[in-house]
Amino acid sequence: MIFPLENHQQQSERSFCFKTLKDSIERYLELFLIVGVMLGYAAYLQYDKKLMFEVYENPRKSDFLYIDYIAIDPSSDRKFRYIPMKILSVEQNGVNFKVGNIAHSSPVSPYVHAKYDKAVTLRNYFKSDALFLSHSRLKSLIESSDIYNARRPDNIYIGGWVAIPLSELY
C-alpha cells in the first residue's frame, strides 16, 4: 500500500529531474543550435558532392559543368575565367559542349550561374561555337579540379532557376 506522503515525495523527485533537465537544455541551447547548424551544413555539403559525382560518372545531354576555362584555353581572359558549359551530346569518343559566355572572377555555385533564368533569357549566355572534349581529357580536368562543379537539371531547373528550355527536356 502506498501512503499519500510517499506518492507525493516520488512525484516531487520526478518533477525535480524534469526541472533540472529543462534547466540544462536552456543553459546549453545555443550550443545545441550551433552543433545542429554545423551538422546540417555538413549534410548539405555531402548532398552537393553526391549531385556533382552523379554527373561526373554518367554525363548526359543538358548537364552543366562549371570550369576554370584557362585549363582549356590559356589565351582566354584570366580575370573572368569561371564559366558554365552545357553538354550538347555524349558520343563514343567524347563530349560536345556549348561554352558559356557569362563568366565570373571566382568559382561560384551552380545556383549563382543559373540565377534569374539567365541560361534561357539571355541571348548571348552561350557562345555560338561548340567545344569537343575527349573522355580522357574530361576525366583529367575533373581530377585536376579544373571542373569544379556539375549539375543535372531537375526537370528544367537548377536550384529553382530555369536552366534549359522545355524543348530540351531530357
Side-chain angles (χ1 to χ4, degrees), residues 14-29:
R14 266 190 252 131
S15 67
F16 179 74
C17 289
F18 288 125
K19 186 176 181 190
T20 57
L21 180 64
K22 181 183 168 202
D23 289 341
S24 296
I25 290 173
E26 286 176 354
R27 180 177 301 142
Y28 298 109
L29 182 63

Side-chain angles (χ1 to χ4, degrees), residues 117-137:
D117 304 335
K118 289 186 277 192
V120 177
T121 58
L122 292 178
R123 196 177 67 230
N124 65 341
Y125 187 73
F126 291 108
K127 295 178 183 177
S128 57
D129 300 333
L131 173 70
F132 180 81
L133 293 176
S134 67
H135 289 292
S136 60
R137 175 77 170 127

Side-chain angles (χ1 to χ4, degrees), residues 26-164:
E26 286 176 354
R27 180 177 301 142
Y28 298 109
L29 182 63
E30 292 88 9
L31 182 63
F32 290 139
L33 288 175
I34 290 171
V35 169
V37 167
M38 288 172 44
L39 289 174
Y41 186 67
Y44 167 75
L45 289 177
Q46 191 67 25
Y47 173 73
D48 196 47
K49 195 175 213 177
K50 179 183 146 285
L51 291 177
M52 187 171 60
F53 281 108
E54 281 179 7
V55 175
Y56 289 165
E57 292 169 0
N58 185 21
R60 66 181 192 200
K61 182 182 175 198
S62 296
D63 286 349
F64 284 81
L65 299 178
Y66 303 93
I67 187 167
D68 178 359
Y69 199 65
I70 294 292
I72 293 176
D73 183 10
S75 66
S76 64
D77 187 2
R78 293 204 171 274
K79 183 175 181 187
F80 298 104
R81 58 201 268 180
Y82 300 98
I83 61 166
M85 296 192 325
K86 182 173 125 184
I87 296 178
L88 296 175
S89 64
V90 179
E91 299 170 3
Q92 186 82 10
N93 55 349
V95 181
N96 281 314
F97 290 97
K98 194 156 208 171
V99 179
N101 202 24
I102 308 293
H104 293 270
S105 58
S106 62
V108 296
S109 73
Y111 310 114
V112 173
H113 278 289
K115 205 173 195 179
Y116 308 121
D117 304 335
K118 289 186 277 192
V120 177
T121 58
L122 292 178
R123 196 177 67 230
N124 65 341
Y125 187 73
F126 291 108
K127 295 178 183 177
S128 57
D129 300 333
L131 173 70
F132 180 81
L133 293 176
S134 67
H135 289 292
S136 60
R137 175 77 170 127
L138 187 61
K139 186 177 179 182
S140 70
L141 288 170
I142 291 169
E143 289 171 352
S144 67
S145 296
D146 288 324
I147 296 179
Y148 63 90
N149 212 329
R151 277 297 173 278
R152 177 166 291 143
D154 297 323
N155 200 351
I156 60 171
Y157 304 100
I158 292 179
W161 298 103
V162 177
I164 60 172

